[in-house]
Amino acid sequence: MELVRVTEAAAIAGSRWVGLGDKNKADGAAVDAMRTFMDTVAMNGTVVIGEGEKDEAPMLFNGESVGDGTGPDVDVAVDPIDGTRLTALGYANALSVFAVAERGTMLDPSAVFYMDKLVVGPRAADAVDLAKGTAFNVRAVAEALDKPVEQVTVCVLERPRHEGLVEEIRRAGARVKFIMDGDVAGAIAAARPGTGVDMLLGTGGTPEGIVTACAIKATGGVIQGRLAPLDEAEEEKARAAGLDLGRVYSTDELVTSDNCYFAATGITDGELLRGVRYEGGRVLTESIVMRSASGTVRVVEAEHLAAKWDRWLKGDAAGE
């Protein structure tokens, strides 16, 4: 519950800026709230996967110490808002996410901003292989789920770079569900039952890939990732960091610990979670919390007194 308090705080702070068109102010408010609440958690944490540098937004930077200094030594992966543009424009599927694992167990892919990803749930986990291509994996998922290929739905970020991928999925006979941003939500939807999504494919952020791996460990599904450098400079940085550019990293290689935690709170409504809502003097949130060691997934609905959140709801944290 300490972890979900962190994502609730970031989501509430970010929700102040939903639909107002300024993703940096939304991110700034969420970062400030997340940092404040993380420092109340009983852990000696180091941010291994931070967000912000890539988006030129306020950041929780890699190497930053978080937590109250007591408790276990842990790696921390954060994204105060997965979907800053979604928040700014009032679109669906913006989340605040926070993941924790034992110290030294999260892969640090920060030399490369993007990776190719494949995510499926537990029934198809042993059937897929990112290295074998789109058509193979679509057929493998259909067989594992015992459904016709034409009923398989693949979640893909709507980007020009995915035009070829989308053509491959459709040629294989499957359907495409586009998401505008926020592939953490899309990945978890692919690994959870009842979401209408069977698989996630495409190139997205490496920070989101590590965060997703922490969540996937609790679902029994799988994420596979292959680093996708933007240019020769990133290739050189990756090699200098000891990263293998040809390797398809498995869930257990992205996060080696079997004892990790994931928490997310909805900022805007989405397939995974409802967004922050206001009713009278209350703020309502919906969150998901996962623990890999037990495979436990909890959905948490919470009510907060709005008067207790004035600092965040009135915009003070974002510099107004």
Side-chain angles (χ1 to χ4, degrees), residues 116 130 224-227 243-250 253:
D116 301 326
L130 181 60
Q224 298 177 2
R226 181 174 50 213
L227 297 172
L243 298 170
D244 186 344
L245 296 177
R247 186 186 190 90
V248 174
Y249 288 90
S250 68
E253 290 170 322

Side-chain angles (χ1 to χ4, degrees), residues 16-253:
R16 158 72 176 81
W17 299 95
V18 168
L20 295 183
D22 193 327
K23 71 175 188 177
N24 284 338
K25 282 192 174 180
D27 202 35
V31 166
D32 194 7
M34 178 167 275
R35 179 180 280 116
T36 298
F37 278 73
M38 269 201 300
D39 286 342
T40 70
V41 177
M43 65 179 182
N44 180 24
T46 300
V47 176
V48 174
I49 304 296
E51 186 63 298
E53 272 185 317
K54 183 178 70 176
D55 292 338
E56 297 181 354
M59 73 167 112
L60 280 152
F61 58 87
N62 289 4
E64 181 173 353
S65 296
V66 294
D68 69 0
T70 68
D73 295 338
V74 294
D75 287 346
V76 174
V78 295
D79 199 344
I81 299 181
D82 181 42
T84 53
R85 187 165 61 127
L86 302 178
T87 301
L89 299 179
Y91 289 155
N93 286 322
L95 301 174
S96 174
V97 299
F98 176 32
V100 177
E102 293 168 313
R103 178 66 55 81
T105 61
M106 288 185 185
L107 179 72
D108 180 3
S110 56
V112 180
F113 284 150
Y114 292 103
M115 66 167 53
D116 301 326
K117 303 174 192 175
L118 181 156
V119 181
V120 294
R123 291 176 61 189
D126 295 330
V128 295
D129 185 344
L130 181 60
K132 292 186 177 180
T134 303
F136 170 88
N137 287 303
V138 167
R139 291 193 297 268
V141 169
E143 184 175 346
L145 299 183
D146 193 24
K147 62 166 63 176
V149 170
E150 59 267 22
Q151 292 181 13
V152 171
T153 300
V154 184
C155 184
V156 179
L157 275 170
E158 188 174 10
R159 296 288 188 275
R161 64 177 179 264
H162 287 151
E163 290 177 0
L165 171 64
V166 169
E167 289 180 8
E168 291 175 2
I169 293 168
R170 289 172 173 165
R171 278 200 303 269
R175 300 181 294 183
V176 174
K177 177 182 177 61
F178 285 113
I179 53 175
M180 185 175 170
D181 286 304
D183 69 351
V184 173
I188 296 172
R192 296 270 291 154
T195 63
V197 176
D198 301 307
M199 176 168 49
L200 176 134
L201 284 174
T203 305
T206 53
E208 291 86 349
I210 304 303
V211 170
T212 297
C214 290
I216 296 301
K217 277 180 167 278
T219 70
V222 67
I223 175 172
Q224 298 177 2
R226 181 174 50 213
L227 297 172
L230 292 171
D231 51 35
E232 290 184 5
E234 274 202 354
E235 289 181 8
E236 287 302 317
K237 286 172 63 179
R239 292 190 184 97
L243 298 170
D244 186 344
L245 296 177
R247 186 186 190 90
V248 174
Y249 288 90
S250 68
T251 311
D252 289 335
E253 290 170 322

